[in-house]
Amino acid sequence: MATATASTNPSASASTPSASASTLASASASASASASFAFPREYHFPAFYTRQTNLTTLHAQRTKWSALILAYARHHRIFRLALSSAADTDLFFNRRLDRRLNADDIRDVVDFMRKDGRAEYVGGGSSGDVVFLFWRKPDEWAGLVETYVDQSGQKGSVLTVYELVEGDGTKGTDIHGMDTEVLLKALNVIVKRGKAQIFGQDDSLGVKFF
Amino acid sequence: MFLKSIDLTTALRPSYLPDEVLLFVRDNVGLYEGKSKLRDQQNGQVYLTSHRICYVDQKEPRKRSVALDLKDVDRHEFYAGFLKSSPKVTLVPKPLKRGSYHTRVLSSVSSSPRSVPGSPGHSEGAYRPPADPPTATAATWVCTICSFSNPVPSNFDPTAANAHTPLPPCLACGIKPTLSHVLKAAISNANNRPSPSPAISTSSPLALRSGPSDPQSMSESQGDLLTSQLGDMSIGGLNGTNGKGASFECPRCTFSNHPSLNSCEMCGASLVSRDIPTSVQQDSMSDATRAESPGPVKDQSKGQNDMPENIKLSFRGGGGPIFYERLKGSMTQRKWLLHNAPPAPKTNRMLNESNGNGSPGSPSGGRAKTAGIAGLEQLGLNMRKNNEILIGSAFEDLEALMASAKDVIALAERFARQTNNGQDSATAEENAILAESASQLGLITTKDIVGGGSSESLYLSELSRNLAEFLTDDSRGVLKKAGGIITLVDLWAMFNRARGGVELVSPMDFEKAARLWSKLKLPVRLRTFRSGVMVVQSRDRTDSTTVKTLLSWLQDLHEFPPDRDVPWDWQVFGRGVTAQEAAERFGWSLGVAEEELMMAEERGALCREEGLEGLKFWVNYIDDGDTAKVKGKVRKEHDQIMSALKHSGLL
């Protein structure tokens, strides 16, 4: 299933392309690529863009937004989201309905996701413009990396972070093209488990698995 | 029956007859029949109207409420209360002319533990005809067998007696007399002549007390009746033994009897005289049955007395004197007669004119002369003249005004209707309410009616009932017109307007009265929205039913396409609605619509959308609802497949 042959109607397409088909790494997705993402039903519901006053409904609304953002990020392999610029993307702006989620509400959802462990501000803290989106949580990534190392028989050997992200060995896996910082968070989890060790400096970080 | 069960309105007040006017209301009232309490009617409200006295029970108003017509009341007495006994108003019914005493005698025999030994048969059923004071010597008949002088049964009515009237047997020998014999005795007594003693005189002291059975004999119509007065003084008849001082001389045989006896020991003649002041009688009665004491309770299982000797209202919460004052007033006015009263007296002038000009009322010759438009005009002219005379004569003096009150009110209503004719419907509606208020004057609760502000709570509860009636009145349809819900402020304005500018209710009282609805279990309820707005709606309309109606309306919007093109899939989501639209749809006021939508949102049935077009409400597709919907869709698809398979003959 090719991404180039997308229909113009976002709601009509129900196809779920495999993760490997997409190589997009940033939020600036092309129109044709975003068309292939199947938005959930709520995306086309006008009231979905208004912050609800009923607490139960509000919780459901946040949950659904959170799910939508993560699914969107997973589809487009977005690891970092710049909130100010993302407000104008399809994710938060439904051009057909002419409804958008305003900046305050986006931050509200992000805060909700942070509590859930699904997002984190870049640089830490409780504010900022760019957030990490953990459509896989760091320990999930850690598990993924471990299995990769296991399966490729590289236990005991030393790998550089660059190798993991850009190297040919990880091609075809989700690790390929990962955000470096997210990968580092994952590797740190492995280190804490006592199954790896990180060494080296900023640019040339290496990791040894045991 | 003297006491009749009555219909109650939705607000558990007696429903009034036409022209009936409420005069007084009092709560905490108990009923007595004779000296016994009526077990089921010991705590209720008493409504005195121009026509009736209604008792509405507190606990089981629908079952136990009774009323008695004032026209059936012969005499009324007031007892001011003594020590612990509450003030009481005694009502004595008018005698009924009927022939069936069977049940009465039976019941009195069965329930006569307090009756005098000498006359077990007829102490209870006796009532005193009040118009003519009872004679000291009651009528007696002399037994043809044993020559014992028996008293004629107190309830024996010569005019109504016939072959089926049960007659008690001789007290001494137990032989039943013939009807003609007793009749003769009664008549001769009525003529104030000593009854002739029959020849045969054998004394056989057989105390055979067989129950009354069917008598034989013929029927005869007679003159006035005179009943013996037994039983009213029965208290103390059993225990009085030590009295030495005053003795009662039998008016017939001159035997000196013990004062506590009420029939002669020798000849059995009644000893109750009219000299005994009524207050004494009443004191003795009410001493035995004060409110707090567990006085004798009437046993209703043992046959109902068709005609009780009297009915007493015991005012345990006070208010007796005012009640009695008003009762006296309405007994004097006798409004129930007015119901069939002739129209206002026409003056001679009027009669002359109507004869001369041929008024519409009289089919005299003058009418034939004027036909067509001229005739119609003449007719109108006559009518106006008639009205003029009526109004003029009405104000001549108060007497005349009262006499023609009915006509004047009718006239006023007609004027009100006429002024409506040329105007738009909105004001016409208002005027109609105003005009109606004239006829409603009798039904309103005022502080005066409940006894001069002595009891604030009674006034409020009456006002509360009054309001509930006003709301549920189908002819007015106050609630219906407002879409089943109305703000308290609007209702207050409407209610006071309907009162026609008199006896206006203060907002404080109004709110307090409205708060009583739930306590009084009335069919309307007061609801306070989160914003503090208070609204009134009928009891059966709860929040969940409102939500249901809202949802079904929104569901309809899935079926009907919106007025203009919308970017979303309206078949899936329907359409958002504003408070304005909801108000129009359900006839609510805007504030109410807003509150109802908020309430539905609060319950999670709706969700909101704030946009350029203002606040809109949608069916809540955000929260969970969709999973159920998806399931429903799946099931529907499944059903479709199944039916298709069945259709094609595969299943």
Side-chain angles (χ1 to χ4, degrees):
Chain A
M1 195 164 297
T3 55
T5 62
S7 64
T8 47
N9 187 355
S11 66
S13 166
S15 62
T16 50
S18 62
S20 63
S22 171
T23 53
L24 289 161
S26 73
S28 58
S30 69
S32 62
S34 73
S36 62
F37 174 69
F39 280 101
R41 198 163 68 112
E42 293 81 40
Y43 183 74
H44 309 288
F45 183 44
F48 193 47
Y49 297 87
T50 298
R51 191 166 170 172
Q52 298 298 314
T53 49
N54 182 328
L55 290 182
T56 323
T57 316
L58 179 60
H59 186 263
Q61 191 186 19
R62 283 168 173 166
T63 314
K64 291 212 160 140
W65 265 114
S66 156
L68 167 60
I69 292 169
L70 291 176
Y72 186 86
R74 179 192 292 267
H75 180 80
H76 295 297
R77 290 183 64 79
I78 300 169
F79 292 92
R80 296 165 186 242
L81 189 68
L83 297 183
S84 51
S85 57
D88 286 328
T89 61
D90 282 346
L91 176 59
F92 295 117
F93 185 22
N94 187 334
R95 277 166 226 281
R96 197 159 160 244
L97 289 184
D98 193 21
R99 300 284 194 288
R100 60 162 76 232
L101 198 66
N102 64 39
D104 285 346
D105 293 336
I106 292 175
R107 283 188 184 278
D108 182 69
V109 173
V110 169
D111 280 343
F112 177 77
M113 290 166 74
R114 278 175 59 215
K115 276 172 206 154
D116 207 21
R118 289 289 181 185
E120 202 172 280
Y121 282 107
V122 175
S126 59
S127 65
D129 187 49
V130 186
V131 286
F132 291 119
L133 295 178
F134 300 133
W135 37 278
R136 278 209 183 90
K137 288 188 183 175
D139 51 340
E140 287 169 12
W141 282 119
L144 214 66
V145 171
E146 271 191 286
T147 19
Y148 162 73
V149 170
D150 231 18
Q151 281 170 356
S152 56
Q154 298 183 73
K155 259 191 180 176
S157 59
V158 174
L159 290 167
T160 61
V161 171
Y162 181 83
E163 247 182 305
L164 280 172
V165 175
E166 303 288 346
D168 289 343
T170 56
K171 247 180 193 165
T173 66
D174 274 358
I175 303 168
H176 192 83
M178 248 181 98
D179 187 272
T180 324
E181 279 193 54
V182 177
L183 181 61
L184 270 178
K185 282 180 197 292
L187 291 177
N188 276 325
V189 173
I190 305 175
V191 170
K192 264 183 198 157
R193 285 178 190 162
K195 294 195 171 172
Q197 197 182 351
I198 302 175
F199 49 87
Q201 271 111 36
D202 292 340
D203 294 358
S204 54
L205 280 173
V207 59
K208 185 179 181 186
F209 296 92
F210 353 92
Chain B
M1 259 174 62
F2 193 40
L3 287 175
K4 300 161 185 149
S5 53
I6 48 170
D7 287 340
L8 298 179
T9 62
T10 49
L12 301 180
R13 302 207 303 171
S15 45
Y16 299 99
L17 309 169
D19 296 333
E20 195 168 6
V21 177
L22 180 62
L23 298 174
F24 190 65
V25 186
R26 195 73 227 174
D27 57 358
N28 205 0
V29 173
L31 290 192
Y32 288 71
E33 195 175 299
K35 283 178 283 291
S36 326
K37 285 177 179 178
L38 291 170
R39 182 181 293 145
D40 291 341
Q41 278 115 2
Q42 282 309 300
N43 185 13
Q45 303 200 350
V46 158
Y47 294 78
L48 174 69
T49 71
S50 55
H51 293 45
R52 293 179 299 173
I53 295 175
C54 306
Y55 169 86
V56 178
D57 195 72
Q58 197 82 44
K59 279 187 206 132
E60 298 232 27
R62 297 254 172 234
K63 274 189 202 157
R64 297 177 181 168
S65 298
V66 289
L68 58 87
D69 289 336
L70 287 182
K71 66 170 187 243
D72 291 336
V73 172
D74 197 78
R75 206 159 44 98
H76 45 87
E77 283 161 10
F78 182 65
Y79 161 69
F82 183 68
L83 293 179
K84 278 184 166 180
S85 79
S86 313
K88 290 184 185 63
V89 170
T90 310
L91 303 159
V92 182
K94 272 184 186 158
L96 282 187
K97 308 236 169 178
R98 304 155 307 125
S100 95
Y101 288 96
H102 191 75
T103 53
R104 191 188 311 168
V105 172
L106 254 180
S107 74
S108 58
V109 166
S110 58
S111 66
S112 60
R114 287 165 284 116
S115 59
V116 192
S119 60
H122 358 86
S123 56
E124 281 280 300
Y127 65 87
R128 283 165 295 163
D132 39 359
T135 47
T137 46
T140 53
W141 57 272
V142 178
C143 178
T144 47
I145 310 298
C146 63
S147 78
F148 184 81
S149 354
N150 291 288
V152 171
S154 54
N155 46 20
F156 184 81
D157 182 0
T159 53
N162 57 34
H164 300 293
T165 311
L167 290 170
C170 171
L171 289 172
C173 63
I175 305 297
K176 232 173 275 163
T178 59
L179 179 63
S180 58
H181 189 68
V182 179
L183 274 176
K184 234 178 264 171
I187 297 158
S188 64
N189 191 281
N191 297 338
N192 276 334
R193 261 180 253 128
S195 55
S197 13
I200 317 151
S201 60
T202 33
S203 78
S204 53
L206 267 171
L208 243 177
R209 277 171 202 164
S210 61
S213 57
D214 281 335
Q216 52 291 87
S217 200
M218 67 240 87
S219 85
E220 237 176 291
S221 94
Q222 304 278 346
D224 254 334
L225 81 156
L226 266 180
T227 49
S228 70
Q229 188 187 0
L230 290 174
D232 274 332
M233 285 295 295
S234 54
I235 288 175
L238 290 167
N239 57 354
T241 44
N242 54 350
K244 262 197 172 182
S247 63
F248 252 78
E249 193 177 86
C250 175
R252 192 162 64 210
C253 66
T254 71
F255 180 80
S256 290
N257 285 289
H258 190 277
S260 57
L261 292 179
N262 46 11
S263 59
C264 178
E265 261 185 301
M266 287 304 279
C267 65
S270 171
L271 292 177
V272 179
S273 74
R274 61 177 152 180
D275 302 334
I276 298 173
T278 45
S279 61
V280 172
Q281 292 184 26
Q282 276 191 335
D283 274 355
S284 66
M285 286 177 205
S286 41
D287 262 357
T289 57
R290 73 177 59 102
E292 290 81 3
S293 74
V297 175
K298 185 165 172 62
D299 192 357
Q300 296 197 319
S301 61
K302 295 187 178 178
Q304 185 87 19
N305 260 12
D306 269 0
M307 179 61 75
E309 87 192 278
N310 59 37
I311 294 289
K312 273 187 234 166
L313 311 169
S314 174
F315 290 87
R316 287 158 196 159
I322 309 173
F323 180 89
Y324 188 61
E325 278 308 305
R326 305 237 164 117
L327 172 66
K328 269 202 289 195
S330 67
M331 289 298 285
T332 334
Q333 284 183 2
R334 288 197 237 184
K335 284 239 177 87
W336 56 90
L337 293 177
L338 267 179
H339 190 52
N340 308 322
K346 288 193 168 85
T347 57
N348 287 337
R349 197 156 60 102
M350 230 164 121
L351 284 173
N352 289 342
E353 272 183 44
S354 64
N355 282 341
N357 296 342
S359 83
S362 68
S364 54
R367 187 178 172 144
K369 286 176 200 161
T370 50
I373 294 172
L376 284 174
E377 292 225 323
Q378 182 72 42
L379 213 130
L381 193 69
N382 278 334
M383 198 120 90
R384 274 196 290 280
K385 236 178 224 169
N386 228 340
N387 291 344
E388 189 189 311
I389 289 160
L390 186 65
I391 295 173
S393 68
F395 289 104
E396 266 176 13
D397 57 13
L398 267 177
E399 201 88 357
L401 173 65
M402 277 163 76
S404 50
K406 258 181 99 167
D407 280 3
V408 172
I409 289 176
L411 207 59
E413 277 172 9
R414 202 158 57 231
F415 282 155
R417 237 169 278 140
Q418 267 168 9
T419 51
N420 285 341
N421 284 345
Q423 296 163 14
D424 58 329
S425 63
T427 51
E429 214 163 82
E430 270 171 32
N431 279 335
I433 291 178
L434 282 179
E436 268 172 44
S437 66
S439 60
Q440 294 287 332
L441 275 177
L443 300 182
I444 59 172
T445 308
T446 65
K447 284 198 167 161
D448 186 42
I449 278 176
V450 294
S454 62
S455 145
E456 179 81 3
S457 66
L458 179 60
Y459 167 66
L460 287 178
S461 78
E462 277 312 296
L463 183 64
S464 175
R465 289 167 198 276
N466 203 171
L467 262 172
E469 272 169 25
F470 179 78
L471 280 167
T472 52
D473 190 355
D474 281 342
S475 60
R476 247 182 240 269
V478 176
L479 263 186
K480 212 175 286 168
K481 260 181 240 159
I485 184 165
I486 186 172
T487 63
L488 196 65
V489 177
D490 286 348
L491 178 67
W492 177 72
M494 201 182 283
F495 187 71
N496 268 342
R497 212 179 303 149
R499 284 201 162 191
V502 287
E503 279 291 342
L504 298 180
V505 185
S506 80
M508 290 291 281
D509 284 350
F510 199 80
E511 193 193 322
K512 279 184 201 156
R515 288 194 189 284
L516 282 175
W517 282 330
S518 60
K519 213 174 106 197
L520 296 171
K521 298 191 180 67
L522 296 178
V524 282
R525 71 186 183 113
L526 182 71
R527 207 175 117 199
T528 311
F529 284 121
R530 262 158 47 110
S531 61
V533 173
M534 283 188 279
V535 293
V536 175
Q537 54 187 180
S538 65
R539 181 169 286 284
D540 51 1
R541 261 207 38 185
T542 57
D543 286 357
S544 49
T545 52
T546 307
V547 169
K548 234 178 262 171
T549 42
L550 277 172
L551 282 182
S552 73
W553 174 43
L554 287 171
Q555 202 61 44
D556 284 349
L557 296 176
H558 291 242
E559 311 294 326
F560 305 108
D563 305 333
R564 55 196 169 76
D565 278 345
V566 288
W568 62 87
D569 190 356
W570 55 266
Q571 275 167 325
V572 177
F573 298 120
R575 186 161 68 83
V577 293
T578 60
Q580 176 73 41
E581 286 171 301
E584 276 168 23
R585 173 71 167 70
F586 296 105
W588 296 335
S589 74
L590 196 59
V592 166
E594 221 164 89
E595 294 288 352
E596 291 285 26
L597 287 170
M598 300 269 209
M599 181 273 296
E601 190 199 3
E602 188 77 6
R603 287 169 154 252
L606 303 185
C607 63
R608 63 169 57 203
E609 183 216 346
E610 282 162 49
L612 290 174
E613 297 169 42
L615 186 59
K616 282 189 170 184
F617 288 89
W618 295 74
V619 178
N620 192 351
Y621 286 108
I622 295 175
D623 190 11
D624 294 329
D626 57 345
T627 54
K629 211 175 145 63
V630 169
K631 265 185 208 160
K633 215 181 236 173
V634 169
R635 198 168 52 232
K636 207 184 268 174
E637 275 168 13
H638 180 75
D639 287 350
Q640 270 174 355
I641 293 169
M642 289 302 277
S643 67
L645 284 174
K646 266 181 197 164
H647 233 66
S648 56
L650 285 169
L651 266 175

